[in-house]
Amino acid sequence: MTRVLFVCTGNVHRSVLAERLLAARLPPGSAVRPESAGTQARPWSGMEASTRAVLEELGGDGSGFAARPLTAQLVAGAALVLGLAHEHREAAVRLAPTALRRCFTLKEFVRLAAGGVDTVRGGEGTATTHGDTPDGQVPPVVDGFDVVVAATAGRRGATAPVPPADDDISDPWGRPRSVLYGCAREIDGTVSTLARLLGDGASL
């Protein structure tokens, strides 16, 4: 399996929604395993009620969730790390600096990959399996997935910059349900594009 790790602050709203909505949008047989964690998360089982309600309204599965804090091991073991804002991407890189080229914000990755993925999908991957990985080592990935990630990393700095806020998804914590729902819709649209971008390189 190829792990994609979403990161937000509390692992309560944004990263949870990204994890479960990507799982719902991936094609059958996908080798991608969405996961999530939070830079300030406290371990606990069960999904926050408002998050689950919005998630299920959009067709996601809210069962079996457990919040967890972000660790260096989680970052090192993921084939792709996607923060919901710049601060989350930066936190992941601080924990595992060797993962820099695999760490983006969600919107940044989709923006950059959409501009170049079609030219690299025919390239060769470097591995065809994905298992447990010791700390500090780049995890093996399914054929093609690593090509997409590497090409996207190569486009960072080679394309016109955008205002940092444009690549962030705002935290709906403590705000009305309408704000949470709007956040979920934004995430759903972005991970739906992500599922399509990764689909050709991440199937069993």
Side-chain angles (χ1 to χ4, degrees):
M1 298 298 287
T2 300
R3 294 170 54 203
V4 173
L5 178 67
F6 294 100
V7 182
C8 71
T9 303
N11 198 201
V12 173
H13 293 311
R14 290 171 290 177
S15 59
V16 179
L17 290 165
E19 172 193 339
R20 294 306 175 94
L21 288 169
L22 177 60
R25 306 304 178 228
L26 287 167
S30 174
V32 171
R33 187 174 105 186
E35 300 181 351
S36 64
T39 57
Q40 298 177 31
R42 297 180 180 180
W44 62 287
S45 296
M47 190 175 293
E48 200 274 341
S50 62
T51 305
R52 182 164 185 165
V54 168
L55 171 67
E56 292 180 347
E57 187 173 339
L58 294 174
D61 181 3
S63 64
F65 177 76
R68 58 184 180 173
L70 184 68
T71 65
Q73 183 175 8
L74 287 174
V75 176
L80 179 61
V81 180
L82 299 172
L84 275 292
H86 280 78
E87 64 194 83
H88 308 126
R89 182 193 68 191
E90 291 163 3
V93 173
R94 285 195 298 271
L95 286 170
T98 58
L100 173 63
R101 289 180 63 81
R102 295 181 280 117
C103 295
F104 305 81
T105 70
L106 170 60
K107 291 176 71 175
E108 175 194 24
F109 184 84
V110 169
R111 174 173 57 82
L112 294 174
V117 70
D118 289 340
T119 65
V120 300
R121 273 189 168 155
E124 293 296 326
T126 59
T128 56
T129 61
H130 194 294
D132 293 333
T133 309
D135 269 354
Q137 294 186 17
V138 175
V141 295
V142 294
D143 186 46
F145 187 99
D146 55 331
V147 178
V148 174
V149 174
T152 304
R155 290 178 60 81
R156 187 161 48 191
T159 59
V162 302
D166 286 1
D167 280 336
D168 290 352
I169 294 177
S170 298
D171 191 353
W173 175 262
R175 304 189 68 187
R177 185 187 187 279
S178 60
V179 175
L180 174 60
Y181 183 74
C183 174
R185 288 292 301 271
E186 181 179 14
I187 290 170
D188 191 24
T190 310
V191 300
S192 294
T193 302
L194 177 64
R196 292 193 295 271
L197 290 169
L198 298 181
D200 288 355
S203 297
L204 289 171

